[in-house]
Amino acid sequence: MADPATTLGVLDYVVFAALLTVTVITGLYHGVYKGGQTTTRQFLLADRKVFSIPIALTIIASFVSPVTLLGVPSEVYVYGPEYVTGTLNNLIMLPIAMVLYAPVFYGLNIMTCYQYLGIRYGYSMRAFGGFMFICQTVFYTGIVLFTPALAIEAVTGFDLWLLILITGVVCTFYTSIGGLSAVIWTDVVMAIVVLTTIVLLIITGTKATGDFSYIWEVNENASRTDLFQFPLDLTERFTFPSLFLGGLISNLSLWGVSQTAVQRILSAKSLNQARVSLAMNVPLVIGILVICALQGVVMYAYYYGPDPVDGTIRGPPNMTSPDQITVFFVEEQFGDIPGYLGLYISCLVAGSLSTISSNLNAMAAVVLVDILRPFREWRSGKESLTHSEKRDTRLSKILVLIFGILSIAISYLCVNLDTIVSLFNTIFGAVGGPLVGSFTLGMLWKRANTFGALIGAVTGFLMGVWVTLGSYVQDDSINMFGLFKLSFQWYSVMTLLTTLIVSVIMSEFFRCLDPEENVKEVDPSLLATFIRPKNYEVTSEDEDVVKSESKDLNENIKSIDDNESSDL
């Protein structure tokens, strides 16, 4: 059994300190290089000059959080490797993001994906979409900050709250100073650290436990290798339909219509570069998830299989949460190798830093572009195209600081939470379904209108919140309300269907009340490229026709950027 208070060696601290130093230097470099981040276009979109490979690495780094590094091995260790079958949805999810969402977002030349909702449906839908994203992301960020600290404390004795504070402060600092450029290039480093560490762990872990045939035999003897199960019980934690469909929608909300992902797509030099970066993530995502799942298979065989030498059963370590199992395994097997534990801790922190920094930058963009700027226009009584870029860039940095502090505060409230995989799917199921529904309906169905879409999204969101809270508040008993027993994997399906059905019905209802709705034309640039009119032309492969108001806005902002940059 692992010692719960292992002392980190000098080399462990050196490796960990080196990671933090690189992130700080990166933030400082992008904060001062060529005058630093002086416009919102630079701070929030990296001036749209990023190539496909850095974007691919920053996307994968942003979403390889402790949910993946700790949660997936934990789920497989406890419940079996069936969870890995959910990775198959990425074969469909990422192509959908490439073909459906990315061309529309990039072609409109916008700064946030919720601007699309404003152009398609009106400001009320834009504000509500931004609100749902912030609710989803701020809580997820707090969980991502807390989880690795809890696991690291369990085996090293490193103070939980100190580690949260260090991670949160460092991440907030380099994100607020260097903007999206710092986030992207730091994520490239983080991705390399994470990929190297998890591959090294699965190789050394398999070698320490036994060959893979022995590992699989132990799992098979425990009836854990039936990967494709199709029970009709919707309360079952994992089934192949729930893993595939539920995971598909939750992942679409994260990779397809989340500002965190869309912001990377919008920062690309061209639409083709954005598509290539998404295509590169197909093997990366599946490979990482499979490797993390194999870690769970290996750990189960190590703790519950007979020792190849004396036949004894080791038994699991004394842990307070299943999400700690991977860190215990690393410490027990490789804690005596100088720097190894420090490398793994750095891997976990790297996963947190990349996810948190991406979320902080994205939330700042949404608040500035989708809430504050429209509020100014409403207050002045006219549409403003002369926002002060200097002021808004400073404001963006302040917003990053505020969300960083808020995330640290939320992480302190995460002590008595469920496993992080269930939390992830619960959060993204309850909120992600309405977001996916709103964007998809707008791009695929011309008859969707403002009030119908808004009522549908609000209904889907409230349904998700109600079921989520009900499942946590009520005891797991026979008398529990039926929907509260639903597996968290089905939340995204439930909220998506609710949003789509209510939106369609209410859109048709308001069309009956207001005949003018039947003569309104939807700008083709707001529709998926494959359903646009045949006579609708695009200027080039890399740039769709831009809606006039979005084009005018960005031309004015670019002009302001040039003028204010010359003033510096």
Side-chain angles (χ1 to χ4, degrees):
M1 184 178 296
D3 182 357
T6 298
T7 302
L8 294 177
V10 174
L11 190 56
D12 294 316
Y13 281 108
V14 169
V15 172
F16 183 51
L19 175 77
L20 298 180
T21 302
V22 168
T23 61
V24 172
I25 291 175
T26 303
L28 288 173
Y29 173 79
H30 289 281
V32 301
Y33 179 65
K34 292 185 178 180
Q37 309 292 303
T38 58
T39 69
T40 53
R41 186 184 180 92
Q42 291 174 335
F43 188 81
L44 299 176
L45 293 181
D47 228 6
R48 300 190 81 163
K49 293 181 178 179
V50 188
F51 292 97
S52 58
I53 293 178
I55 291 177
L57 290 175
T58 190
I59 290 175
I60 194 67
S62 298
F63 300 129
V64 177
S65 68
V67 171
T68 306
L69 300 175
L70 293 175
V72 173
S74 167
E75 285 290 319
V76 173
Y77 169 79
V78 176
Y79 298 102
E82 183 186 8
Y83 183 80
V84 77
T85 60
T87 61
L88 296 177
N89 67 59
N90 290 283
L91 296 173
I92 298 177
M93 183 272 296
L94 287 167
I96 290 175
M98 291 167 54
V99 173
L100 177 58
Y101 303 115
V104 176
F105 291 141
Y106 197 90
L108 289 173
N109 203 23
I110 52 183
M111 293 186 72
T112 76
C113 55
Y114 308 106
Q115 284 179 272
Y116 169 86
L117 295 179
I119 299 171
R120 179 67 174 86
Y121 299 117
Y123 177 71
S124 57
M125 191 64 196
R126 174 181 177 181
F128 186 65
F131 166 76
M132 286 193 291
F133 169 75
I134 291 172
C135 288
Q136 168 185 281
T137 307
V138 73
F139 282 100
Y140 178 55
T141 304
I143 293 170
V144 168
L145 185 57
F146 171 82
T147 305
L150 177 66
I152 293 168
E153 181 196 43
V155 298
T156 66
F158 201 106
D159 186 80
L160 171 72
W161 311 119
L162 179 60
L163 188 58
I164 288 175
L165 190 61
I166 291 174
T167 307
V169 169
V170 169
C171 185
T172 303
F173 171 77
Y174 78 74
T175 306
S176 63
I177 295 295
L180 187 62
S181 294
V183 172
I184 287 175
W185 290 107
T186 304
D187 281 354
V188 171
V189 177
M190 302 302 175
I192 294 172
V193 171
V194 169
L195 291 170
T196 302
T197 306
I198 62 174
V199 170
L200 180 63
L201 178 59
I202 192 63
I203 293 173
T204 53
T206 302
K207 184 177 179 180
T209 305
D211 59 38
F212 194 75
S213 60
Y214 164 78
I215 292 170
W216 191 255
E217 181 183 357
V218 172
N219 282 268
E220 188 174 33
N221 292 338
S223 302
R224 291 164 46 91
T225 56
D226 186 6
L227 301 183
F228 296 92
Q229 299 183 32
F230 295 86
L232 297 178
D233 187 2
L234 299 182
T235 65
E236 189 78 24
R237 185 180 182 89
F238 292 138
T239 64
F240 178 70
S242 71
L243 286 166
F244 188 86
L245 295 176
L248 174 63
I249 298 168
S250 292
N251 286 333
L252 275 177
S253 74
L254 186 65
W255 293 75
V257 300
S258 164
Q259 177 62 16
T260 307
V262 172
Q263 201 161 339
R264 270 96 182 126
I265 294 171
L266 297 176
S267 70
K269 288 178 69 69
S270 67
L271 175 58
N272 187 56
Q273 293 282 332
R275 282 172 164 164
V276 169
S277 67
L278 287 170
M280 292 173 65
N281 271 278
V282 175
L284 284 174
V285 172
I286 293 176
I288 289 174
L289 289 174
V290 169
I291 290 173
C292 289
L294 287 176
Q295 291 176 14
V297 173
V298 169
M299 290 186 297
Y300 182 86
Y302 177 79
Y303 287 115
Y304 288 97
D307 188 287
V309 178
D310 56 18
T312 59
I313 304 296
R314 298 179 181 88
N318 183 22
M319 53 188 177
T320 59
S321 168
D323 294 320
Q324 297 172 336
I325 184 63
T326 307
V327 184
F328 269 107
F329 180 74
V330 172
E331 189 279 332
E332 184 173 350
Q333 285 296 305
F334 315 110
D336 58 340
I337 302 176
Y340 196 108
L341 191 55
L343 177 63
Y344 187 72
I345 290 174
S346 298
C347 172
L348 295 180
V349 174
S352 291
L353 288 174
S354 57
T355 301
I356 296 167
S357 62
S358 300
N359 289 345
L360 294 180
N361 195 270
M363 288 189 287
V366 170
V367 171
L368 175 67
V369 176
D370 296 312
I371 297 176
L372 294 182
R373 282 183 172 176
F375 175 75
R376 290 178 196 155
E377 295 165 5
W378 171 80
R379 187 178 60 180
S380 64
K382 60 182 179 179
E383 185 175 1
S384 173
L385 295 176
T386 57
H387 302 291
S388 171
E389 286 297 292
K390 290 181 181 177
R391 179 187 61 185
D392 282 356
T393 303
R394 288 194 296 268
L395 182 56
S396 298
K397 295 180 179 183
I398 293 172
L399 287 170
V400 168
L401 289 172
I402 291 173
F403 281 119
I405 294 170
L406 182 60
S407 298
I408 293 173
I410 289 176
S411 68
Y412 283 87
L413 304 177
C414 296
V415 177
N416 297 314
L417 295 178
D418 201 351
T419 63
I420 54 178
V421 165
S422 63
L423 284 171
F424 169 82
N425 285 281
T426 298
I427 293 172
F428 281 85
V431 181
L435 283 173
V436 173
S438 300
F439 282 103
T440 305
L441 199 69
M443 294 179 188
L444 296 181
W445 196 52
K446 298 179 182 179
R447 296 177 65 86
N449 55 41
T450 300
F451 291 110
L454 181 60
I455 293 173
V458 171
T459 304
F461 174 74
L462 293 178
M463 171 70 78
V465 172
W466 175 56
V467 173
T468 299
L469 293 179
S471 65
Y472 275 96
V473 171
Q474 285 199 7
D475 294 330
D476 188 13
S477 63
I478 298 177
N479 297 323
M480 178 183 282
F481 181 67
L483 278 178
F484 297 163
K485 298 180 182 179
L486 196 68
S487 168
F488 60 82
Q489 286 289 144
W490 287 110
Y491 286 5
S492 59
V493 178
M494 174 190 65
T495 54
L496 174 68
L497 291 177
T498 300
T499 299
L500 292 177
I501 292 171
V502 174
S503 295
V504 169
I505 293 174
M506 296 309 297
S507 290
E508 292 302 318
F509 174 74
F510 283 106
R511 280 183 176 274
C512 293
L513 293 181
D514 185 3
E516 292 186 5
E517 288 287 347
N518 294 304
V519 296
K520 287 183 179 178
E521 294 290 334
V522 179
D523 192 301
S525 64
L526 302 174
L527 300 174
T529 55
F530 52 84
I531 65 171
R532 291 172 182 173
K534 292 183 178 179
N535 60 352
Y536 181 78
E537 297 180 356
V538 293
T539 57
S540 69
E541 182 182 2
D542 298 328
E543 182 176 344
D544 291 316
V545 174
V546 178
K547 189 174 178 63
S548 59
E549 61 185 85
S550 297
K551 184 176 181 180
D552 292 341
L553 174 61
N554 282 277
E555 286 177 350
N556 277 272
I557 289 176
K558 184 66 170 64
S559 175
I560 296 167
D561 290 353
D562 296 338
N563 293 335
E564 294 198 355
S565 295
S566 64
D567 292 338
L568 292 177

